[in-house]
Amino acid sequence: MPGKLPQEFTLSGLRKGRASVAVVTGAGIDAEAGIPTFRGDQGFYEDKEATYLASVNALEAEPSRVWHWYLKRFVSLHDTHPAHSHFALAKLEAELDEKFLGVITQNISGLHRKAGSQKVFEIHGCIQEMRNLKTGERQPLPNSWVESPPADEELISWRPNVCFFGESYDGFPLPEAEEACNSCDIMLVIGTSGVIPTPVLLSEMAQLSGAVVVNINPHPGKVDKVADMNFRGTAAEYFQEFFYHDQN
Ligand code: OAD
């Protein structure tokens, strides 16, 4: 069972207080929408082929194969609905207005935007966008590709606008994410193992600027040691606690 949440970290506490909030999310929040996480028993990366296809080496060597693998995910995510926790974050943003500094997500699903979040920094890119290999121009993937996949010739000048293994964060909104972490009073870190260390680094950055870091995860992970508070439960349980307190 998750522990009792101090009042200042509930929605009503945040409303009454003057704290600004930044949120970092990982695959755990999308798991509540039915998308597998990357690591763990049922994890996406249990399939070794997936780790290869998500790498810059594969993109360079077999772009068409990589594209078709991403297109499968694009199609399956098209009809995926956000979970209660995604909507709860959109509500939190609406409630806190300018005190809400943004959702920084490692997820490429686009579910935060689908749920109505406005300030979203997709630091690993998003599956619904492609980037021109020569000009860097970005375009949404046409919705028609859900029903009928494009021919290889249509893809040849483009790549998925996601961050591959072996690539830097260049071109992704990491500076904006860092700015939010440096400026917030409370940082919520939801559903990330921290194996890719960016959430740990962002947490350390926020703490150095004086923020309180709350880690929400049912399992131990690499964020635990930097967090001021570990809420050992799911995102859904955390938000339940939010709304429970809110009614009192
Ligand atoms: P992981 O799969 O490494 O970790 C998922 C985390 O979610 C684990 O710590 C789980 O305990 C936790 N979790 C599971 N269900 C949860 C729930 N209902 N509520 C809260 N937490 C829950 O995924 P990430 O840390 O997000 O990058 O992975 C980071 C990056 O690694 C991904 O963005 C991806 C991958 O390589 C790229 O594709 C560039």
Side-chain angles (χ1 to χ4, degrees), residues 21-98:
V21 180
V23 182
V24 174
T25 65
I29 194 164
D30 278 9
E32 294 182 353
I35 303 169
T37 58
F38 291 94
R39 299 166 185 90
D41 280 353
Q42 310 288 316
F44 206 56
Y45 287 162
E46 281 303 290
D47 173 7
K48 292 297 165 225
E49 192 66 354
T51 17
Y52 166 67
L53 289 168
S55 74
V56 72
N57 289 343
L59 181 67
E60 282 165 9
E62 311 181 67
S64 165
R65 197 165 153 228
V66 167
W67 248 125
H68 286 284
W69 184 69
Y70 272 96
L71 283 169
K72 259 195 220 152
R73 288 176 70 192
F74 167 67
V75 171
S76 75
L77 281 164
H78 189 261
D79 291 327
T80 302
H81 295 288
H84 174 78
S85 298
H86 296 95
F87 288 112
L89 282 177
K91 179 169 155 60
L92 185 62
E93 177 174 355
E95 291 279 350
L96 299 184
D97 198 11
E98 80 278 0

Side-chain angles (χ1 to χ4, degrees), residues 5-21 92 95-96 99 186 238 241-248:
L5 198 65
Q7 170 70 8
E8 63 265 38
F9 300 117
T10 67
L11 185 54
S12 58
L14 290 175
R15 262 205 216 114
K16 279 182 212 141
R18 292 160 155 239
S20 58
V21 180
L92 185 62
E95 291 279 350
L96 299 184
K99 285 192 295 176
I186 294 179
Y238 177 75
E241 192 97 346
F242 254 139
F243 294 118
Y244 169 74
H245 274 276
D246 205 33
Q247 285 156 14
N248 289 296

Side-chain angles (χ1 to χ4, degrees), residues 26-28 32 38-39 45 106 124 163 191-193 196 217-219 235:
E32 294 182 353
F38 291 94
R39 299 166 185 90
Y45 287 162
Q106 300 170 99
H124 289 171
C163 187
T192 178
S193 63
I196 299 294
N217 198 314
H219 304 294

Side-chain angles (χ1 to χ4, degrees), residues 128-217:
Q128 293 87 4
E129 207 173 61
M130 58 188 179
R131 189 160 91 218
N132 190 283
L133 290 167
K134 270 204 188 120
T135 64
E137 180 205 350
R138 291 177 198 175
Q139 271 195 20
L141 269 62
N143 273 337
S144 60
W145 288 5
V146 174
E147 298 300 331
S148 51
D152 278 3
E153 301 80 70
E154 292 182 73
L155 298 170
I156 203 133
S157 310
W158 301 89
R159 53 163 284 174
N161 191 33
V162 300
C163 187
F164 283 80
F165 276 125
E167 282 191 311
S168 74
Y169 280 100
D170 281 357
F172 295 104
L174 190 64
E176 290 85 343
E178 289 175 345
E179 165 72 25
C181 294
N182 277 325
S183 314
C184 68
D185 301 310
I186 294 179
M187 179 159 138
L188 308 179
V189 185
I190 305 177
T192 178
S193 63
V195 169
I196 299 294
T198 315
V200 176
L201 300 174
L202 292 173
S203 300
E204 284 171 345
M205 204 176 264
Q207 264 178 342
L208 276 176
S209 307
V212 175
V213 176
V214 183
N215 177 36
I216 296 128
N217 198 314

